């Protein structure tokens, strides 16, 4: 299947590994490409990429466009943006999907502006309509807004965790296409230092148990109850936006459309009203318990079990019961 | 050395605390947000603060550029009270309904008309739409470099040093001006509003520009100039609803603890 007029996925390499979202997008990309009967290509930029290219083919790519250079090891807009623009102008993809990572969002936005194409953010589902146009679904206002992007290609970003990683098949055949790259002689920007940092999200995206607190927690002191409960449950701590704005907790812990996408088995929501922009980041928990003093809170529509009570009354005994030596 | 010209792109958004009042009309697919108080998008306040601090340390001037509905004028006034020297208000029906592409195109045209400031600040994402696209897109329309998601900034010897949050950790970057920078909240703590500054700010100049002033045609702007279009809205089916646990706090706590324990024993966790 050809690179021309196909469906493209930006495959992002960080520290020599593919980000999971790149593979997630290949799974969905494969489904859409088959619907359209076009090729699926992954765009891979970085250094020492051979094993990653093979992984992409195993996960569904027909072609991998590879730009391999030591200077491309870390994401750098000044180098990546013109390179991707060049690839688009040469091969004219129909659709181009990006993970909503720091690098993915930046590259998608900048490239879209350069070629004058529309870019839809926060997509959670795609459909192909009868005219072979990509319908892009974005959660908002208690439903889904359906967008179309104009221009070529149709571009969209998708948060990590929306789609699942396909089963790799290392028997699959695909083509690797090398793309020339030569760094500018006098770049205007450079990376002076790079520090790897696990981030303060505390494994939120992989966590099986999450205790999340909202505005209802009320203050930094009460926030300790959330931390203690999470500790007792060996869970990760999550938050809505107000606790982040108030500075009770780091921004990395925010769950929802502009934060993390999580897939816990057990989700405990404390003092959270249940706004869609928060809940759209919580994917199908098997056990969902909500504590909120307002019986009309929207969160009770979505939780499996609800407690209508002041959280400061429920959390202390609950922490006690769940802590080692508690009578549970 | 030439004095530093700094611009801040500022968005006026419905107060996030009243976001629940922003609704969609499922028939006409138009979004209702009238009557909700507007604030400066929170990260844009950090962008403004970064610009004003830079000016205070190195001299120069700060100009605010804001595209918005007439209600945004109040937010511009506030920005002037928070340390900006003057402002450009892009106010014209032709700008209405713009997505990030059309917004960036208009803001870039205004910045160009101002003689391309050496440094341009934006918030990393807005509190309305929250795509984070506008900053990098303005930079492309201007043909300059940018750093996204900056959490620390220093300006030395005519160069900008920015610590940016990346997917693997963070990177300390160095760049030559002109540059556009989008900031995260960790970059600073914005100052509060002072009455004396608010009074002084009334004398500061707000230039109002229309689409004609930017030399852009109406099909490059607003809804018509946008790259994406919403053409349908699908409401979600009503969710099923929770089973409410009854009893005193102690009893309820016990019941939750038991439910969690039972669930864990089911071998699923
Ligand atoms: C563009 C955009 C993007 C956004 N992205 C996100 C996002 O990614 N993530 C996110 O979370 N939000 C996001 N938001 C904000 C979102 O719209 C909501 O405002 C937010 O999720 C509300 O958080 P909350 O439930 O903690 O607060 P609130 O809605 O204020 O709810 C607090 C709840 O606590 C309850 N409560 C109060 N006191 C107590 C008590 N003592 N005991 C028990 N219950 C109590 C109240 O009954 C209430 O239901 C976004 C908003 C916009 C506009």
């Amino acid at each position: 299947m050809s690179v021309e007029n196909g469906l493209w996925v930006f495959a992002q390499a960080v520290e020599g590994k593919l980000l999971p979202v790149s593979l997630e997008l290949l799974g969905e990309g494969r489904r859409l490409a088959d619907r359209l009967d076009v090729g699926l290509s992954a765009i891979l930029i970085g250094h020492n990429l051979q094993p990653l290219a093979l992984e992409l083919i195993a996960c569904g790519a027909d072609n991998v466009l590879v730009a391999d250079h030591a200077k491309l090891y870390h994401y750098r807009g000044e180098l990546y943006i013109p390179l991707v623009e060049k690839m688009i102008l040469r091969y004219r993809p129909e659709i181009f999907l990006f993970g909503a990572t720091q690098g993915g969002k930046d590259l998608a936005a900048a490239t879209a502006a350069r070629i004058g194409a529309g870019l839809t953010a926060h997509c959670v589902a795609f459909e192909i309509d009868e005219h072979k146009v990509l319908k892009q679904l974005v959660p908002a206002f208690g439903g889904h807004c359906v967008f179309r992007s104009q221009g070529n290609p149709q571009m969209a970003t998708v948060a990590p965790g929306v789609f699942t990683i396909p089963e790799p098949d290392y028997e699959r055949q695909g083509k690797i296409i090398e793309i020339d790259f030569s760094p500018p002689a006098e770049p205007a920007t450079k990376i002076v230092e790079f520090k790897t940092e696990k981030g303060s999200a505390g494994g939120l995206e992989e966590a099986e148990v999450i205790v999340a607190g909202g505005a209802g927690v009320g203050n930094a002191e009460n926030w300790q109850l959330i931390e203690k409960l999470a500790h007792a449950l060996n869970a990760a701590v999550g938050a809505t936006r107000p606790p982040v704005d108030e500075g009770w907790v780091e921004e990395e812990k925010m769950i929802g459309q502009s934060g993390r996408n999580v897939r816990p088995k057990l989700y405990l929501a404390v003092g959270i009203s249940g706004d869609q922009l928060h809940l759209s980041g919580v994917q199908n928990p098997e056990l969902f318990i909500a504590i909120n003093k307002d019986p009309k809170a929207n969160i009770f529509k979505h939780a499996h079990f609800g407690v209508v009570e002041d959280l400061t009354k429920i959390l202390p005994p609950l922490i006690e019961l769940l802590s080692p030596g508690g009578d549970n | 050395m030439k004095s530093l010209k700094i611009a801040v792109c500022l968005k006026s958004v419905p107060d996030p605390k009243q976001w629940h009042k922003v609704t969609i009309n499922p028939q006409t697919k138009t979004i209702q947000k009238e009557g909700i108080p507007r604030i400066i998008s929170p990260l844009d306040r950090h962008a403004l603060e970064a610009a004003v601090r830079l000016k205070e340390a190195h001299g120069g001037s700060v100009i605010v550029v804001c595209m918005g509905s007439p209600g945004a004028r109040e937010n511009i006034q506030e920005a002037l009270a928070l340390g900006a020297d003057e402002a450009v208000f892009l106010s014209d029906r032709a700008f209405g309904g713009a997505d990030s592409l059309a917004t960036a195109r208009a803001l870039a045209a205004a910045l160009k008309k101002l003689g391309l400031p050496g440094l341009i600040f934006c918030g990393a994402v807005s509190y309305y739409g929250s795509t984070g696209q506008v900053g990098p897109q303005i930079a492309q329309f201007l043909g300059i470099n940018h750093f996204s998601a900056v959490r620390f900034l220093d300006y030395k010897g005519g160069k900008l040093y920015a610590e940016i949050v990346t997917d693997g950790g963070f990177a300390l970057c160095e760049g030559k001006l002109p540059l556009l920078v989008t900031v995260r909240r960790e970059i600073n703590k914005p100052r509060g509003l002072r009455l004396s500054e608010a009074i002084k700010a009334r004398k500061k100049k707000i230039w109002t520009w229309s689409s004609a002033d930017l030399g852009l045609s109406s099909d490059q702007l607003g809804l018509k100039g946008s790259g994406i279009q919403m053409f349908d809205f699908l409401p979600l089916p009503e969710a099923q609803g929770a089973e409410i646990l009854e009893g005193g706090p102690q009893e309820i706590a016990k019941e939750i603890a038991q439910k969690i324990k039972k669930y864990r024993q089911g071998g699923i966790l």
Side-chain angles (χ1 to χ4, degrees), chain A residues 196-264:
Chain A
T196 315
E197 209 176 60
K198 191 84 182 80
S200 51
L204 198 54
E205 274 146 352
E206 297 82 39
E208 298 207 325
V209 186
I210 295 176
V211 176
V217 175
N219 55 49
E221 201 183 312
N222 280 350
W223 189 264
Q224 287 312 309
L225 294 172
I226 301 293
E227 301 278 347
K228 279 191 195 142
L229 179 58
H231 183 75
L233 278 168
N234 197 13
V237 169
T240 56
R241 191 149 78 180
V244 172
D245 284 345
E246 296 296 333
W248 306 336
V249 64
E250 306 92 304
E251 178 159 9
E252 273 54 41
K253 304 273 169 82
M254 184 164 85
I255 295 168
Q257 191 189 75
S258 28
R260 312 260 159 185
N261 215 337
V262 297
R263 208 176 271 278

Side-chain angles (χ1 to χ4, degrees), chain A residues 12 14 78 81 101-103 106 109-110 112-114 117-122 135 140-150 187-197 208-209 233 241 244-245 251-252 257 265-266 268 277 286-287 300-307 313-314 317-318 321 327-328, chain B residues 16 19 22-24 31 101 127 129-131 133 136-137 140-141 145-149 151 165-176 179 184-186 226-236 238-245 249-250 252-254 256-261 263-264 268-269:
Chain A
Q12 194 180 355
V14 172
E78 186 177 9
I81 296 161
T101 57
Q102 294 292 344
D106 189 65
R114 285 210 175 200
L119 171 63
T120 309
H122 309 302
K135 288 167 55 172
F141 311 113
H144 287 115
C145 296
V146 188
F147 286 95
R148 253 191 309 244
S149 40
Q150 318 285 318
T189 65
K190 67 175 185 205
I191 298 179
V192 184
E193 192 193 341
F194 196 94
K195 269 225 179 101
T196 315
E197 209 176 60
E208 298 207 325
V209 186
L233 278 168
R241 191 149 78 180
V244 172
D245 284 345
E251 178 159 9
E252 273 54 41
Q257 191 189 75
K265 293 195 167 136
L266 170 54
L268 230 103
L277 295 174
E286 288 174 7
L287 180 57
F300 292 130
K301 288 197 190 134
H302 299 273
H304 303 127
F305 296 100
V307 175
K313 295 213 180 99
I314 299 286
L318 185 59
L321 285 166
D327 77 344
N328 197 32
Chain B
W19 175 252
V22 183
T23 53
I24 191 165
I31 295 162
L101 188 71
Y127 269 40
S130 72
T131 68
Q133 294 168 359
Q137 296 196 320
Q140 303 314 308
F141 284 117
N145 285 293
H146 71 279
F147 295 133
S148 285
R151 66 175 192 185
V165 176
T166 70
D167 295 301
F170 67 91
L172 180 63
C173 299
E174 178 192 307
K176 293 184 207 141
L179 274 175
R184 285 170 56 102
R185 78 179 74 227
E186 301 96 306
S226 290
I228 62 173
Q229 246 106 45
M230 187 185 25
F231 69 99
D232 204 0
F233 176 77
L234 312 169
L236 287 178
E238 190 76 359
Q240 202 177 4
E243 177 188 321
I244 303 294
L245 306 181
Q250 192 70 36
I252 291 177
K254 216 169 195 157
I256 299 176
Q258 272 162 5
K259 284 210 182 323
I260 293 173
K261 194 175 170 199
Y263 181 72
R264 287 191 145 160
I268 306 169
L269 286 178

